[in-house]
Amino acid sequence: MPGYSPQEIEKKWQAHWQAHHTFKADNSSDKPKFYALDMFPYPSGAGLHVGHPLGYIASDIVSRYKRLRGYNVLHPMGFDSFGLPAEQYAIQTGQHPALTTEINIDTYIRQLSSLGFSYDWSREIRTSDPTYYKWTQWIFLKLFNSWYNLDTNRAEPLKTLLDKFAENGSQGIRAAGDEQERHDFTAGQWKLFTEKQRLTAVHPYRLAYQQDTYVNWCAGLGTVLSNDEVKDGLSERGGFPVERRLMPQWNLRITAYADRLLQGLDTLDWPDAVKEMQRNWIGRSVGAEVTFPVQGHASAQIKVYTTRVDTIYGATFLVLAPEHELVAELTPPEQKEAVQAYIDATKRRSERDRMADVKVVSGVFTGSFGLNPVSGEPVQIWLADYVLAGYGTGAVMAVPSGDQRDYLFAKHFDLPIVQVTDAQQGLDEQADPTKEGRYVNSGIIDGLGYKEATTKLIAFLEEKGLGKGKTNFRIRDAIFGRQRYWGEPIPIYYKDGTAYGIAEADLPLVLPEIDEYKPTETGEPPLGRAKDWKYKGQYEYELSTMPGWAGSSWYYLRYMDPHNTERFVGEEAEQYWQNVDLYLGGAEHATGHLLYSRFWHLFLKDLGLVSANEPFQKLINQGMILGRSNFVYRINGTNTFVTLGKKDQHQTTALHVDVNIVHNDVLDTEAFKKSRPDYANAEFILEDDDRYVSGWEVEKMSKAKFNVVNPDVLVGQYGADALRLYEMFLGPLEQFKPWNTNGMSGVAGFLKKFWRLYHPADGAFAVTDEAPKPAELKALHKAIRKVEEDIERFSFNTTVSALMITVNELTALECHKRAVLEPLVVILSPYAPHLAEELWQLLGHEAGSISAATYPEFKEEFLVEDTVNYPLAINGKVREQAQFPATATAADIEAAVLGSDFVERFGEGKTAKKVIVVPGRMVNVVVA
């Protein structure tokens, strides 16, 4: 048989796995279950580069290992196929997003299949498939038709709320949400309400509700953007200006679950950094809501939330968000121009920029005054963009002596700074937020400490009807609408201006065909272009579509039962798989996808539709593989390129060059001249050995830097098994690692060496049934234990190193024995499955059956040494080594040492007084 040929072997086994559905998981089994999941990809047109498969390889190794350990493994793959990139491409080219998405998915499937992943492709899902998004719409309708009962601390169907209305009206109902949006009514009034009046009364209780909300509006893209999609006031895609705009938007009441989302984090095996990011994003705080009356405006009141009500006597001004609903009412004519100019400037900044910018102080005085509700002192009311309308009440009481941002604002605008405790120091230079000391300049709490002062102030405010103690959260309800085409239609229609959910029997609401993918000429979302698109032929549909995270918030459940036409997931399948045991993906999803998925899961749990408490039990964030960029150096003003070693002799400009035409940092100059028309006549100043040596630098892998390495090229050159091993070999899974294609040859060489244990000198298969030697068994069992331990703790890079050492040891021992090589191929199989399948068949097993093999048992006895080397010392100074049987006792060793000439040779004529034997370590003879 010829030498190891990975390309031939790999295609053979990939075809076999596909034809025989080797990795198809059962929804019921006597085996323990293991559910491994990758964050499923958005299928971009560029396909995969070598950085993308890192997490996929790791999860595949664990999945294959768990099968060897006797688990029923679910390891699925699908595509997050709705999204803005496909829509933008459709706008530019006129092609339907479904067409380009389909082409991109085909590319991804081909690339993923070429890497030998053990996916159960029979469970593939696509979020843009109507048979999938039917259930995304169904979950939305459940949210629309549910409310959150604070008495039971869970979501309930609206029927339970309607029953309460019929019995007692709105009296005594404790529900999550904004109380100010709701109206009081009696049971009698409820019975007299029209249908529209009832729906209007119910709407503020719904978990999916519509409300005028400040959003990031991008006119250039014709859609609302999330904060993550905005950078420095511009859209991340396209660089179009973004402004804050008040628009009617669908929202999901994630705030109802804030406390439970916090508590659940303690039960999860997630990276501490991700859990801390979610805790900070949710932002639980205990404080007070305080009402500031407004001078000259009897009906106007400004509510603030503060965690430091104890400092209220130091509140010397109020700051409102520029979008605050009272701004127009509070601004007298002489201030309107200045106030409007400031509001217009704020619209051009994203919330993230406003929160992050602590260096620039800006604001404008409204011209009105509030009244401190405790001291009665007037305080100026200002606008400042560091206060956000969507967070808290959109207003803060500014205490410059205790808050640095308020302090800088007060200094900039020459506003009062009042000391409130005798422990505050350095107020001439900065704020001091201490809670120590006793209160001063603080009226009814003078002389008190922090706890007593806080309790007394809250009691005072509650007695006067000007405030109350309150637990607050930083998290805001999730905006659930995008003014785009390529997304799930929201299953809502409007009758007489009132929102209704379409009947579940009418799902899916399929995305209609339209002639263009831009907003309409009148500013409506692209769905406004759909002709004759009405519910029951008469009612207008909602024209926004769901955000990108809608379909990804529950996809892990659909994988459990993807072909069920009666339910989003079958009860038996869900109860069997429960949740994801291992989830791999990027930390960038901490406050997006991971948080929304937990929210949806808790909601479904409340309705009795799922059984597990959390969707993802263990999470690993894989690091990023960074690109290794190469550079050429063009002499300024010329088309001549000088090699790295001589560039300092000229004035040059460094230019990125395609890494695929650079080998070991040596540029293929002919390929370079063909790469671009302006390089066709390039000239070169070479090294003295006639090579052009390029420079290099580690950067993020991207097309713009020409450092993207296509896995197809490496699979074609070295094989998929080599690529899998090399990506693991680069370093710890969670760390960022630089890519260097040059290292591929070393891993490819290891696989050839592994092959030669079974095919000496690349000849015929030559595995024997000869009994193995102790040294061979020792090498094997060291590897069995090492691979097992490393996979269990997800330390894949050290496994690759250990396997290389094992193969070197067995090669040196000229081991070709079945008793060693058969278990060895099993422990290699999670890492290099194609080579393992080939060798497993050659060893006489059924084709394609290595996944059903059993991981070999580690036996300690094969690592026990027959003899032990002991350093022999005189008075602690080692003089020589001696070998004793591993079973020798301390008395045996002492007798042997004293019976030898060791003391005579090294004791300098002195007598042995004592012999100290440390078993397995050393012998020390004390002489005097």
Side-chain angles (χ1 to χ4, degrees):
M1 187 173 185
Y4 173 51
S5 176
Q7 292 78 8
E8 181 181 333
I9 288 173
E10 289 169 3
K11 287 179 181 177
K12 166 186 171 182
W13 290 111
Q14 287 162 16
H16 179 95
W17 296 332
Q18 182 179 5
H20 291 81
H21 307 288
T22 303
F23 308 114
K24 189 171 183 178
D26 294 323
N27 278 355
S28 61
S29 173
D30 293 335
K31 298 178 179 179
K33 70 95 180 180
F34 188 81
Y35 185 175
L37 184 62
D38 304 299
M39 289 188 187
F40 69 163
Y42 173 78
S44 71
L48 297 173
H49 63 59
V50 293
H52 292 132
L54 180 68
Y56 303 160
I57 295 169
S59 67
D60 194 59
I61 289 169
V62 175
S63 297
R64 289 177 176 276
Y65 169 76
K66 288 292 185 180
R67 290 189 188 95
L68 298 174
R69 281 296 189 188
Y71 285 82
N72 180 29
V73 176
L74 173 56
H75 189 209
M77 177 51 73
F79 300 95
D80 193 7
S81 49
F82 273 133
L84 187 56
E87 181 155 351
Q88 286 305 111
Y89 189 74
I91 291 171
Q92 294 163 10
T93 64
Q95 274 192 296
H96 196 290
L99 298 176
T100 54
T101 300
E102 183 77 22
I103 293 169
N104 295 347
I105 287 175
D106 288 345
T107 299
Y108 267 65
I109 290 176
R110 178 186 58 76
Q111 289 186 302
L112 291 169
S113 298
S114 75
L115 291 169
F117 296 132
S118 59
Y119 293 132
D120 179 355
W121 283 108
S122 71
R123 296 175 184 252
E124 181 205 341
I125 58 175
R126 305 177 184 189
T127 57
S128 58
D129 185 336
T131 62
Y132 178 82
Y133 69 70
K134 164 185 177 176
W135 297 108
T136 309
Q137 293 172 335
W138 181 85
I139 295 171
F140 173 85
L141 288 175
K142 292 296 183 188
L143 286 157
F144 180 69
N145 290 313
S146 298
W147 68 297
Y148 198 93
N149 187 341
L150 292 175
D151 289 330
T152 59
N153 197 30
R154 65 183 181 87
E156 296 178 5
L158 278 180
K159 183 182 183 305
T160 64
L161 178 66
L162 301 182
D163 290 345
K164 291 177 183 289
F165 286 165
E167 185 175 351
N168 295 310
S170 60
Q171 182 69 30
I173 292 177
R174 297 178 63 246
D178 188 348
E179 295 174 5
Q180 295 178 342
E181 294 288 322
R182 297 167 184 162
H183 304 290
D184 293 329
F185 51 86
T186 65
Q189 289 172 320
W190 171 257
K191 287 170 184 164
L192 295 174
F193 280 173
T194 64
E195 179 183 48
K196 184 169 184 177
Q197 286 174 320
R198 288 189 175 193
L199 290 172
T200 301
V202 167
H203 193 77
Y205 292 85
R206 296 182 187 272
L207 289 182
Y209 65 96
Q210 198 173 38
Q211 187 180 63
D212 284 348
T213 307
Y214 277 97
V215 296
N216 300 313
W217 172 253
C218 178
L221 294 174
T223 188
V224 168
L225 300 177
S226 68
N227 286 333
D228 292 339
E229 296 170 315
V230 181
K231 186 172 179 60
D232 299 326
L234 301 174
S235 63
E236 193 171 50
R237 180 166 291 275
F240 297 106
V242 176
E243 69 173 56
R244 299 288 292 165
R245 180 182 289 186
L246 191 63
M247 296 178 65
Q249 285 290 323
W250 283 95
N251 296 264
L252 299 188
R253 210 178 293 283
I254 190 174
T255 50
Y257 288 86
D259 236 346
R260 289 167 64 186
L261 288 168
L262 271 178
Q263 294 166 14
L265 289 171
D266 295 333
T267 68
L268 300 177
D269 184 5
W270 285 18
D272 288 339
V274 173
K275 292 200 281 189
E276 194 59 27
M277 287 170 72
Q278 288 206 359
R279 289 190 183 103
N280 292 337
W281 190 263
I282 295 166
R284 186 179 191 273
S285 60
V286 178
E289 187 175 80
V290 183
T291 301
F292 283 72
V294 180
Q295 278 188 342
H297 297 269
S299 62
Q301 293 182 329
I302 295 174
K303 291 185 183 293
V304 304
Y305 175 80
T306 177
T307 58
R308 293 295 305 273
V309 70
D310 58 299
T311 65
I312 194 167
Y313 282 94
T316 57
F317 58 100
L318 294 172
V319 185
L320 307 185
E323 306 93 343
H324 196 284
E325 60 185 6
L326 290 178
V327 172
E329 181 180 346
L330 299 182
T331 306
E334 64 272 16
Q335 286 295 105
K336 285 195 179 294
E337 185 177 348
V339 167
Q340 189 58 50
Y342 190 76
I343 292 172
D344 291 342
T346 301
K347 287 180 178 178
R348 295 189 286 271
R349 305 190 71 201
S350 70
E351 283 189 356
R352 177 169 292 179
D353 291 341
R354 287 163 61 178
M355 293 173 68
D357 188 359
V358 296
K359 296 179 180 178
V360 178
V361 177
S362 71
V364 64
F365 179 45
T366 65
S368 290
F369 290 81
L371 291 174
N372 187 309
V374 180
S375 70
E377 293 292 323
V379 291
Q380 293 184 10
I381 302 173
W382 286 69
L383 305 185
D385 65 2
Y386 72 85
V387 182
L388 304 174
Y391 288 75
T393 63
V396 299
M397 68 175 209
V399 182
S401 66
D403 181 273
Q404 186 63 19
R405 198 158 199 173
D406 295 343
Y407 181 91
L408 294 173
F409 195 92
K411 282 287 189 182
H412 187 82
F413 292 107
D414 196 25
L415 298 168
I417 299 173
V418 175
Q419 182 177 358
V420 292
T421 82
D422 58 13
Q424 285 180 311
Q425 298 178 357
L427 294 181
D428 289 340
E429 297 180 1
Q430 62 184 8
D432 182 355
T434 183
K435 296 178 181 178
E436 303 299 321
R438 299 287 167 175
Y439 289 90
V440 298
N441 305 318
S442 295
I444 64 172
I445 60 168
D446 270 350
L448 299 181
Y450 169 71
K451 287 187 178 179
E452 305 97 318
T454 301
T455 301
K456 186 170 184 176
L457 283 168
I458 291 176
F460 174 86
L461 290 166
E462 289 179 347
E463 180 186 343
K464 300 295 183 183
L466 292 170
K468 60 182 179 179
K470 187 176 182 181
T471 298
N472 208 20
F473 296 90
R474 183 182 298 115
I475 191 172
R476 298 296 92 201
D477 283 341
I479 297 174
F480 197 71
R482 297 291 186 269
Q483 285 62 51
R484 302 174 183 163
Y485 172 73
W486 192 233
E488 299 93 335
I490 295 177
I492 292 291
Y493 69 94
Y494 295 91
K495 184 168 72 172
D496 298 329
T498 299
Y500 290 76
I502 73 172
E504 290 181 6
D506 293 328
L507 295 177
L509 173 57
V510 177
L511 201 60
E513 297 290 335
I514 57 176
D515 54 358
E516 277 189 277
Y517 306 103
K518 302 175 184 177
T520 68
E521 288 70 19
T522 55
E524 291 178 320
L527 286 181
R529 296 179 177 277
K531 295 179 180 177
D532 302 320
W533 191 54
K534 292 183 179 181
Y535 188 56
K536 305 294 186 184
Q538 56 180 321
Y539 302 116
E540 299 291 341
Y541 281 119
E542 168 62 48
L543 298 182
S544 295
T545 52
M546 298 186 193
W549 53 266
S552 63
S553 291
W554 72 282
Y555 77 112
Y556 61 96
L557 292 167
R558 190 62 178 170
Y559 279 138
M560 298 175 184
D561 195 15
H563 307 298
N564 193 322
T565 58
E566 302 300 321
R567 207 171 184 271
F568 75 114
V569 56
E571 291 184 69
E572 291 184 6
E574 189 279 329
Q575 288 170 9
Y576 176 74
W577 293 110
Q578 295 273 312
N579 61 4
V580 177
D581 297 287
L582 174 64
Y583 197 30
L584 272 90
E588 67 273 14
H589 298 290
T591 56
H593 159 64
L594 289 169
L595 193 60
Y596 297 138
S597 293
R598 296 183 62 220
F599 160 43
W600 279 39
H601 193 92
L602 285 171
F603 167 70
L604 294 170
K605 170 83 170 175
D606 284 352
L607 296 192
L609 298 170
V610 297
S611 52
N613 291 322
E614 291 279 346
F616 316 118
Q617 192 55 41
K618 182 174 182 60
L619 172 72
I620 295 179
N621 297 135
Q622 79 272 15
M624 184 183 294
I625 289 183
L626 301 171
R628 192 177 188 276
S629 303
N630 284 107
F631 297 89
V632 291
Y633 302 96
R634 184 169 61 194
I635 299 174
N636 293 344
T638 74
N639 203 24
T640 299
F641 296 83
V642 59
T643 187
L644 176 66
K646 298 179 180 180
K647 76 177 182 68
D648 292 342
Q649 301 170 19
H650 306 270
Q651 288 188 331
T652 63
T653 299
L655 303 172
H656 281 94
V657 64
D658 187 350
V659 295
N660 295 293
I661 59 173
V662 179
H663 306 283
N664 293 321
D665 294 331
V666 176
L667 177 71
D668 182 337
T669 54
E670 290 304 312
F672 176 75
K673 288 199 286 187
K674 295 175 183 176
S675 65
R676 279 175 42 176
D678 51 325
Y679 292 161
N681 297 317
E683 296 181 351
F684 303 93
I685 298 176
L686 306 175
E687 301 285 346
D688 293 339
D689 58 2
D690 294 332
R691 297 179 307 151
Y692 186 100
V693 177
S694 66
W696 65 274
E697 185 177 325
V698 174
E699 302 177 289
K700 183 177 179 179
M701 199 171 282
S702 74
K703 289 189 291 184
K705 301 181 188 301
F706 299 98
N707 62 358
V708 170
V709 179
N710 189 326
D712 296 350
V713 174
L714 298 179
V715 168
Q717 186 173 355
Y718 298 101
D721 285 342
L723 180 58
R724 290 168 62 106
L725 280 165
Y726 183 58
E727 293 219 6
M728 294 298 97
F729 186 58
L730 283 172
L733 180 64
E734 296 90 345
Q735 291 184 8
F736 281 42
K737 301 168 281 287
W739 179 266
N740 186 350
T741 300
N742 299 336
M744 284 286 297
S745 57
V747 174
F750 157 70
L751 291 173
K752 290 178 181 177
K753 202 167 188 177
F754 194 99
W755 173 265
R756 290 183 189 126
L757 289 174
Y758 304 77
H759 301 83
D762 283 339
F765 184 73
V767 174
T768 73
D769 291 324
E770 187 180 349
K773 299 174 184 176
E776 295 167 338
L777 289 171
K778 179 181 177 182
L780 169 66
H781 283 269
K782 280 195 302 182
I784 291 172
R785 181 171 65 178
K786 178 65 174 171
V787 172
E788 177 183 359
E789 291 175 347
D790 285 353
I791 291 181
E792 293 287 359
R793 65 172 187 259
F794 309 101
S795 180
F796 306 106
N797 59 310
T798 50
T799 288
V800 179
S801 300
L803 288 171
M804 289 177 172
I805 292 169
T806 301
V807 169
N808 285 340
E809 290 175 349
L810 294 176
T811 299
L813 292 167
E814 297 184 356
C815 176
H816 307 295
K817 296 160 185 172
R818 176 181 296 274
V820 173
L821 298 188
E822 189 164 276
L824 183 64
V825 77
V826 174
I827 66 173
L828 175 74
S829 64
Y831 288 82
H834 307 89
L835 174 59
E837 286 280 27
E838 183 71 13
L839 294 174
W840 190 247
Q841 184 182 26
L842 289 170
L843 285 164
H845 298 282
E846 182 183 350
S849 65
I850 198 167
S851 294
T854 300
Y855 190 84
E857 180 185 357
F858 166 70
K859 295 184 178 179
E860 182 78 39
E861 64 201 68
F862 293 120
L863 301 190
V864 176
E865 302 285 353
D866 292 334
T867 59
V868 179
N869 284 327
Y870 280 83
L872 302 185
I874 296 285
N875 289 346
K877 187 173 182 179
V878 176
R879 296 296 188 175
E880 65 180 14
Q881 303 279 330
Q883 201 171 72
F884 298 98
T887 56
T889 65
D892 295 337
I893 294 171
E894 179 179 344
V897 170
L898 293 178
S900 70
D901 62 352
F902 175 68
V903 176
E904 182 181 337
R905 285 186 292 117
F906 298 107
E908 299 177 349
K910 298 177 182 178
T911 305
K913 297 293 185 183
K914 186 177 182 182
V915 179
I916 302 169
V917 178
V918 181
R921 300 289 297 278
M922 72 173 296
V923 179
N924 182 36
V925 181
V926 180
V927 299

